[in-house]
Amino acid sequence: MRVKGKNFDGEGGEEEEQKLVVGYALTLKKKKSFLQPEFERLACKKGILFVAIDVNLPLSDQGPFDIILHKLSGKEWSDIVEDYRQTHPEVPVIDPPYAIQHLRNRQSMLQDVVDLNLSDFHGRVGVPKQMVIMKDPLSIPDEVAKAGLKLPLVAKPLVVDGSAKSHELFLACDWSSLSELEPPLVLQEFVNHDGILFKIYIVGDAIKVVRRFSLSNVNKCQLAKVPGIFPFPRVSSAAASADDADLDPRVAELPPRPLLERLSKELRHRLGLRLFNIDMIREHGTRDIFYVIDINYFPGYGKMPDYEVIFTDFLLTFKKKKYRAISCED
């Protein structure tokens, strides 16, 4: 994109300044949390221009864009983006709707982790034992018993659609209360993890890890005293940060960097995504046994330390690719 400026002699005119134009389609809530003033100022200084996409107009009639950045749901929007990808293959779409769809279902989102073998990278990464319940809540206790899952269990909605309800988690502490749950849902064995969760933010090749407070360890004696179903506290908010807390060093220790680098690389490849975060826990009493319990697309990067610099650098990689392509054409 060519922008107007001043010539070296101070006269008004046009100077050749290539801007990286990022067309974005975000909900109002997402725009507010992501496009914060400091981020926009830094991006502008680096030659990045954010332009809102009007979802009521044909996407191909807007722009031209160098990148499409989006987080809207619905089949109609997905079809629009897929059509645009076919007619504008030179424009990176972050990220393809078909790849995002993989993370909309909690049954499928963790399968790629199950298929990994990272035992040679300073630790082991797995997924808690889980099962899917599609209907008939009265049959849940029997189904869970047949599957061999042990209490307590974390109950999660099967579909992740961006709504508050899809992020409502519950801890089921006794067999009889299981029939009170509302299918379709995923039941996942609760793994004691000393009340600390690691949120691993992925932005292209960059990795940023923060600690969040989570649910404390639960023992059999406690289970007997607190039957029922209880809301699981959300740990996504920055207020739940445990980075500055006075923790046992064994609990606070971050997962090994080589393990995180291999895990993020494998998942980027398998998921076909550039923007996501991984919720990981360390099993109580161990140093190198980890579990991935959730993966989220385009998470709340505004809560990630230094996100302005990290995300700007990520977008600039596309600017460099654009210049290389122009040079090759010349």
Side-chain angles (χ1 to χ4, degrees), residues 2 22 29 38-39 57 81 84 98 102 110 133 160 200 217 233 245 257-258 267-268 280 290-292 299 307 321 328:
R2 179 180 300 192
V22 180
K29 181 180 178 182
E38 185 177 344
F39 176 37
L57 297 176
V81 176
Y84 185 87
Y98 72 85
H102 192 68
L110 300 182
I133 302 293
V160 183
I200 305 161
N217 294 342
R257 191 72 185 185
L267 288 181
R268 284 199 311 270
M280 176 185 282
F290 301 93
Y291 291 92
V292 173
Y307 97 96
K321 292 176 183 176
C328 290

Coordinates of all heavy atoms in Angstrom, one line a residue, residues 2 22 29 38-39 57 81 84 98 102 110 133 160 200 217 233 245 257-258 267-268 280 290-292 299 307 321 328:
R2 N 0.6 2.2 -0.8 CA 1.3 3.5 -0.9 C 0.6 4.5 -0.1 O -0.6 4.7 -0.2 CB 1.4 3.9 -2.3 CG 2.2 5.2 -2.5 CD 2.3 5.7 -4.0 NE 2.9 4.7 -4.8 CZ 3.3 4.9 -6.0 NH1 3.2 6.1 -6.6 NH2 3.9 3.9 -6.7
V22 N -3.6 -5.0 7.6 CA -4.2 -6.2 8.3 C -5.7 -5.9 8.4 O -6.2 -5.0 9.1 CB -3.6 -6.4 9.7 CG1 -4.3 -7.6 10.4 CG2 -2.1 -6.6 9.6
K29 N -16.0 -7.1 21.8 CA -15.3 -7.5 23.0 C -13.9 -7.8 22.7 O -12.9 -7.4 23.4 CB -16.0 -8.6 23.7 CG -15.4 -9.1 25.0 CD -16.1 -10.2 25.7 CE -15.4 -10.7 26.9 NZ -16.1 -11.8 27.6
E38 N -1.8 1.0 23.0 CA -0.4 0.9 23.0 C 0.1 -0.1 21.9 O 1.1 0.2 21.2 CB 0.1 0.4 24.3 CG 1.7 0.3 24.4 CD 2.1 -0.1 25.8 OE1 1.3 -0.1 26.7 OE2 3.3 -0.5 25.9
F39 N -0.7 -1.1 21.7 CA -0.4 -2.1 20.6 C -0.6 -1.4 19.2 O 0.3 -1.6 18.4 CB -1.4 -3.3 20.7 CG -1.2 -4.3 19.6 CD1 0.0 -4.6 19.1 CD2 -2.4 -5.0 19.2 CE1 0.1 -5.6 18.1 CE2 -2.3 -5.9 18.2 CZ -1.0 -6.2 17.6
L57 N -20.5 -6.3 3.9 CA -20.1 -6.1 2.5 C -19.3 -7.3 2.0 O -18.6 -7.9 2.8 CB -19.3 -4.8 2.4 CG -19.9 -3.5 2.7 CD1 -18.9 -2.3 2.6 CD2 -21.1 -3.2 1.8
V81 N -14.9 -16.6 4.4 CA -13.4 -16.6 4.5 C -12.8 -17.7 3.6 O -11.8 -17.5 2.9 CB -13.0 -16.8 5.9 CG1 -11.4 -16.9 6.0 CG2 -13.4 -15.7 6.8
Y84 N -12.8 -16.5 0.1 CA -11.7 -15.5 -0.1 C -10.4 -16.1 -0.2 O -9.5 -15.7 -1.0 CB -11.8 -14.5 1.1 CG -10.8 -13.3 1.0 CD1 -11.2 -12.2 0.3 CD2 -9.5 -13.4 1.5 CE1 -10.3 -11.1 0.2 CE2 -8.6 -12.4 1.4 CZ -9.0 -11.2 0.8 OH -8.1 -10.2 0.6
Y98 N -11.4 -24.0 8.7 CA -11.4 -25.4 8.8 C -10.5 -25.9 9.9 O -10.8 -26.9 10.6 CB -11.1 -26.1 7.5 CG -9.6 -26.1 7.1 CD1 -8.7 -27.0 7.6 CD2 -9.2 -25.1 6.3 CE1 -7.3 -26.9 7.3 CE2 -7.8 -25.0 5.9 CZ -6.9 -25.9 6.4 OH -5.6 -25.8 6.1
H102 N -11.5 -27.4 14.4 CA -11.0 -28.6 15.1 C -11.0 -28.3 16.6 O -11.1 -29.2 17.4 CB -9.5 -28.9 14.6 CG -9.0 -30.2 15.1 ND1 -9.5 -31.4 14.7 CD2 -8.0 -30.4 16.0 CE1 -8.8 -32.3 15.3 NE2 -7.9 -31.8 16.0
L110 N -8.0 -32.5 21.7 CA -6.8 -33.0 22.4 C -6.2 -34.2 21.7 O -5.2 -34.8 22.2 CB -7.1 -33.3 23.8 CG -7.6 -32.1 24.7 CD1 -7.9 -32.5 26.1 CD2 -6.6 -31.0 24.7
I133 N -20.1 -37.7 26.7 CA -21.5 -38.1 27.0 C -22.4 -37.2 26.0 O -22.4 -36.0 26.1 CB -21.9 -37.8 28.4 CG1 -21.0 -38.6 29.4 CG2 -23.4 -38.2 28.7 CD1 -21.2 -40.1 29.3
V160 N -17.2 -25.7 21.9 CA -16.7 -24.4 22.3 C -17.1 -23.4 21.2 O -16.5 -23.5 20.1 CB -15.1 -24.5 22.4 CG1 -14.6 -23.2 22.9 CG2 -14.7 -25.6 23.3
I200 N 0.1 -21.5 28.1 CA 1.2 -21.4 27.1 C 0.7 -20.7 25.9 O -0.1 -21.3 25.1 CB 1.8 -22.8 26.8 CG1 2.2 -23.5 28.1 CG2 2.9 -22.7 25.8 CD1 2.4 -25.0 27.9
N217 N -5.5 -29.2 45.2 CA -5.5 -30.7 45.2 C -6.7 -31.2 46.0 O -7.2 -30.6 47.0 CB -4.3 -31.3 45.8 CG -3.0 -31.0 45.0 OD1 -3.1 -30.6 43.8 ND2 -1.8 -31.1 45.6
P233 N -13.7 -22.7 39.1 CA -13.3 -21.3 38.9 C -12.5 -21.1 37.6 O -11.7 -21.9 37.3 CB -12.4 -21.0 40.1 CG -11.9 -22.3 40.6 CD -13.0 -23.3 40.3
A245 N 3.5 -14.8 42.9 CA 3.2 -15.5 44.2 C 4.4 -16.2 44.8 O 5.3 -16.6 44.1 CB 2.0 -16.4 44.0
R257 N 11.9 -25.7 28.6 CA 11.7 -25.0 27.3 C 11.8 -26.0 26.1 O 11.0 -25.8 25.1 CB 12.8 -24.0 27.2 CG 12.7 -23.0 26.0 CD 11.5 -22.0 26.3 NE 11.2 -21.2 25.2 CZ 10.3 -20.2 25.2 NH1 9.6 -20.0 26.3 NH2 10.1 -19.4 24.2
P258 N 12.7 -26.9 26.0 CA 12.8 -27.8 24.9 C 11.4 -28.6 24.7 O 11.0 -28.8 23.6 CB 13.9 -28.8 25.2 CG 14.8 -28.0 26.1 CD 13.8 -27.2 27.0
L267 N 2.1 -29.1 17.4 CA 0.7 -28.7 17.4 C 0.4 -27.6 16.3 O -0.6 -27.7 15.7 CB 0.3 -28.2 18.8 CG 0.1 -29.3 19.9 CD1 -0.4 -28.6 21.2 CD2 -0.8 -30.4 19.4
R268 N 1.4 -26.7 16.1 CA 1.2 -25.8 15.0 C 1.0 -26.5 13.7 O 0.2 -26.2 12.8 CB 2.4 -24.8 14.9 CG 2.4 -23.7 15.9 CD 3.3 -22.6 15.5 NE 4.6 -23.0 15.0 CZ 5.7 -23.2 15.8 NH1 5.6 -22.9 17.1 NH2 6.8 -23.6 15.3
M280 N -1.9 -26.2 30.5 CA -1.1 -27.4 30.9 C -1.0 -27.4 32.4 O -0.8 -26.4 33.0 CB 0.3 -27.4 30.2 CG 1.2 -28.5 30.6 SD 2.9 -28.3 29.8 CE 2.5 -28.9 28.2
F290 N 3.4 -34.0 32.6 CA 2.4 -32.9 32.3 C 1.2 -33.4 31.5 O 1.2 -34.4 30.8 CB 3.1 -31.8 31.5 CG 4.4 -31.2 32.1 CD1 5.6 -31.7 31.8 CD2 4.3 -30.1 33.0 CE1 6.7 -31.2 32.5 CE2 5.4 -29.6 33.6 CZ 6.6 -30.1 33.3
Y291 N 0.1 -32.6 31.7 CA -1.1 -32.9 31.0 C -1.6 -31.7 30.3 O -1.7 -30.6 30.9 CB -2.2 -33.4 32.0 CG -1.9 -34.8 32.6 CD1 -1.2 -34.9 33.8 CD2 -2.3 -36.0 31.9 CE1 -0.9 -36.2 34.3 CE2 -2.0 -37.2 32.4 CZ -1.3 -37.3 33.6 OH -1.1 -38.6 34.1
V292 N -2.1 -31.8 29.1 CA -2.8 -30.7 28.4 C -4.2 -30.9 28.6 O -4.8 -32.0 28.3 CB -2.5 -30.7 26.9 CG1 -3.3 -29.7 26.2 CG2 -1.0 -30.5 26.6
P299 N -6.6 -16.8 21.9 CA -7.0 -16.5 23.3 C -6.9 -15.0 23.6 O -6.6 -14.2 22.7 CB -6.0 -17.3 24.1 CG -4.8 -17.3 23.2 CD -5.3 -17.4 21.8
Y307 N 2.6 -8.6 25.1 CA 1.9 -9.1 23.9 C 2.1 -8.1 22.7 O 2.1 -8.5 21.5 CB 0.5 -9.4 24.2 CG -0.5 -8.3 23.8 CD1 -1.2 -8.3 22.6 CD2 -0.8 -7.2 24.7 CE1 -2.1 -7.3 22.3 CE2 -1.6 -6.2 24.4 CZ -2.3 -6.2 23.2 OH -3.2 -5.2 22.8
K321 N 8.1 -11.3 4.3 CA 7.8 -12.2 3.2 C 7.2 -11.4 2.0 O 7.5 -11.8 0.8 CB 6.7 -13.2 3.7 CG 7.3 -14.2 4.7 CD 6.2 -15.1 5.2 CE 6.8 -16.0 6.3 NZ 5.7 -16.9 6.9
C328 N 11.4 -10.6 -5.8 CA 11.5 -11.7 -6.7 C 10.8 -11.4 -8.0 O 11.2 -11.7 -9.1 CB 10.9 -13.0 -6.2 SG 11.9 -13.7 -4.8

